[in-house]
């Protein structure tokens, strides 16, 4: 069993020893000292910081502190992440090495274009690849995340309708949608209209027909949806929207379900965003940079946020085009998170079209294999279209388990930590009671899937034998249960936070 290390590691502030040093810079020449003193004397007294209140430690203490913290972590390099919706899979290290090459990592975004022709060519080719994969005609790399791509997409819808002199105020979103969809639609100034899910797990087409009118700007959809089900009626849905003059937005955050198999453009979608930091070789989470390029069909191209990468046939040079008068305008400085784009390009080239297709097929097989094992467990059901195969993910309901034992999806997820697995996504999508959402991805072996299913079955058995024990899990992690609502309240926060806050108040960083 793989478990994270369990240490009672103090905060770096607590470990601090007065006078300890990690690095001694050489002493300054007299001339420099005097120049420094002269400069300092010009700064008004009240604006000088007397003391820099940093923790004091030796180099070895620092190294050990952070190495121990890193070993208390769970990561994709140490274990399986069955996280539904937010694809968390293995990303080949070689792609990261390529992005870290000096020729890439040391580029400055303000460098003259003639000195970065290679980088621009890479973006140009990546755009072509993404167009081929999605069936769109143009992409902008400006958006820095999935939700940011959605925002660009909604603003494109707004610009498109405005230019046609139409006032459209509503965006339709299914009740199974990822939370960012309604949030983004609302942020873009639209009224969010929710369409329900039918018993087979797809958009309720009858209801959609009734909801659509001349005020509808568009529909935001992911297909396969968050239940892992492919919309059987996608062609009809597209027809309903287009007949009403509305646009279709495809949430392509988790494209590994369909890449190389079917394309949003061929389904009839007009706008797509991709999360390169989920399915195209950049790990996500932890606040690292992402890339949510937004792609459109040709009639929407002029609204894309600049810059776009263009190739000039005459000069044989690549350049960035900022001169786009109909565009929604800039949404980010420079041209997206370049290193993420490099990893995506390296990944696509190394996989090839056939490789991407096989990855998608493997993701679907893995998900259905795991589902077949897990759904046999007592207290577990598969709501919506129980006879239909899933795509890359599936959502079980543990509501019977809860009724019969008092053990909730949350408790099962916590207990999985004791078995050395990351918890899956729980309580999402909202339409499934006690939702337990699993995405195994294409990168896990059958062996690992078996181990996970076995741990799940054992936890279900434990829930019937000793529910109190399961409800107290986890027992083997450095931090047990935090009360999610109260964790940030000064009176109820965890001891670590209390120490941190005390120190922060001492330092005057917080009140
Ligand atoms: C992750 C995800 C998003 C949001 O992406 P961010 O990069 O986190 O903003 C949107 N839709 C779906 C389906 C997702 O899984």
């Amino acid at each position: 069993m793989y478990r994270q290390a369990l240490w009672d590691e103090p905060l770096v502030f607590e470990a601090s020893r007065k006078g300890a040093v990690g690095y001694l810079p050489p002493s300054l020449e007299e001339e420099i000292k005097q120049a420094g003193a002269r400069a300092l004397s010009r700064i008004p007294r009240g604006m000088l910081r007397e003391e820099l209140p940093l923790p004091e430690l030796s180099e070895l203490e620092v190294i050990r502190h952070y190495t121990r913290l890193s070993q208390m972590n769970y990561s994709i390099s140490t274990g399986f992440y069955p996280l539904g919706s937010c694809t968390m899979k293995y990303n080949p290290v070689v792609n990261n090495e390529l992005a870290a090459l000096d020729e890439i990592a040391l580029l400055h975004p303000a460098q003259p274009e003639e000195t970065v022709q290679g980088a621009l060519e890479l973006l140009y080719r990546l755009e072509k690849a993404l167009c081929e994969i999605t069936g769109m005609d143009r992409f902008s790399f400006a958006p820095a995340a999935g939700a940011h791509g959605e925002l660009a997409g909604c603003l494109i819808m707004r610009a498109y309708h405005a230019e046609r002199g139409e006032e459209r105020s509503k965006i339709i979103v299914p009740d199974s949608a990822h939370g960012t969809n309604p949030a983004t639609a609302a942020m873009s100034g639209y009224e969010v209209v929710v369409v329900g899910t039918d018993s087979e797990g797809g958009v309720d087409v009858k209801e959609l027909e009734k909801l659509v009118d001349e005020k509808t700007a568009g529909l935001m959809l992911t297909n396969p949806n968050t239940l892992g089900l492919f919309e059987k009626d996608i062609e009809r849905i597209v027809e309903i929207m287009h007949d009403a003059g509305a646009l279709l937005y495809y949430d392509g955050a988790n494209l590994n379900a369909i890449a190389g198999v079917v394309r949003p453009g061929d389904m009839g979608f007009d706008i797509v965003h991709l999360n390169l930091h989920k399915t195209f070789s950049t790990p996500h989470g932890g606040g690292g940079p992402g890339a949510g390029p937004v792609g459109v069909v040709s009639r929407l191209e002029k609204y894309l946020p600049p810059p776009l990468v263009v190739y000039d046939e005459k000069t044989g040079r690549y350049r960035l085009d900022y001169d786009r008068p109909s565009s929604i305008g800039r949404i980010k400085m420079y041209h997206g998170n370049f290193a993420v784009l490099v990893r995506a390009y390296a990944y696509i080239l190394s996989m090839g079209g056939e490789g991407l297709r096989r990855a998608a097929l493997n993701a679907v097989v893995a998900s259905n294999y795991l589902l077949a094992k897990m759904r046999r467990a007592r207290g577990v059901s598969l709501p919506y279209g129980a006879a239909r195969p899933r795509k890359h993910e599936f959502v079980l309901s543990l509501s019977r388990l809860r009724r019969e034992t008092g053990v909730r999806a949350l408790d099962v997820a916590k207990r999985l930590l004791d078995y050395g697995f990351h918890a899956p996504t729980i309580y999402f999508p909202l339409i499934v009671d006690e939702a337990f959402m699993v995405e195994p991805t294409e990168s896990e072996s059958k062996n690992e899937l078996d181990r996970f299913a076995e741990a799940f079955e054992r936890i279900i058995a434990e829930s019937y034998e000793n529910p109190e024990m399961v409800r107290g899990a986890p027992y083997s992690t450095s931090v047990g249960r935090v009360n999610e609502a109260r964790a940030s309240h000064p009176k109820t926060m965890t001891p670590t936070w209390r120490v941190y806050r005390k120190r922060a108040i001492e330092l005057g960083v917080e009140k």
Side-chain angles (χ1 to χ4, degrees), residues 364-430:
V364 172
V365 167
S367 140
N368 284 284
Y369 176 76
L370 194 55
L371 170 61
K373 292 201 136 194
M374 289 174 69
R375 70 186 295 186
R376 292 194 305 232
R378 199 171 153 195
V380 170
S381 66
L382 180 69
Y384 297 103
R388 296 181 64 194
R390 262 48 184 177
K391 294 294 178 240
H392 62 309
E393 65 194 4
F394 56 88
V395 184
L396 298 171
S397 169
L398 305 193
S399 66
R400 213 184 98 206
L401 180 78
R402 184 182 183 182
R403 270 200 315 279
E404 293 176 353
T405 67
V407 170
R408 308 182 59 201
L410 175 83
D411 306 316
V412 176
K414 294 283 186 194
R415 183 67 179 142
L416 272 168
L417 307 181
D418 287 333
Y419 282 90
F421 291 105
H422 193 279
T425 301
I426 49 175
Y427 301 108
F428 174 77
L430 305 177

Side-chain angles (χ1 to χ4, degrees), residues 85-86 145-147 150 178 180 251 253-254 275 277-278:
S85 182
C86 289
E150 291 172 33
H178 191 272
T180 50
D251 179 340
N254 309 288
N275 276 23
H277 54 288
K278 274 180 187 168

Side-chain angles (χ1 to χ4, degrees), residues 299-331:
R299 69 183 162 134
L300 300 176
E301 186 185 320
K302 60 180 176 178
Y303 307 113
L304 280 174
L308 296 198
V309 187
V310 292
Y311 176 67
D312 190 332
E313 297 264 352
K314 270 196 239 103
T315 58
R317 295 201 160 268
Y318 297 90
R319 65 184 176 82
L320 292 169
D321 180 15
Y322 290 91
D323 183 22
R324 307 185 54 77
S326 302
S327 149
I328 61 166
R330 298 203 68 169
I331 57 166

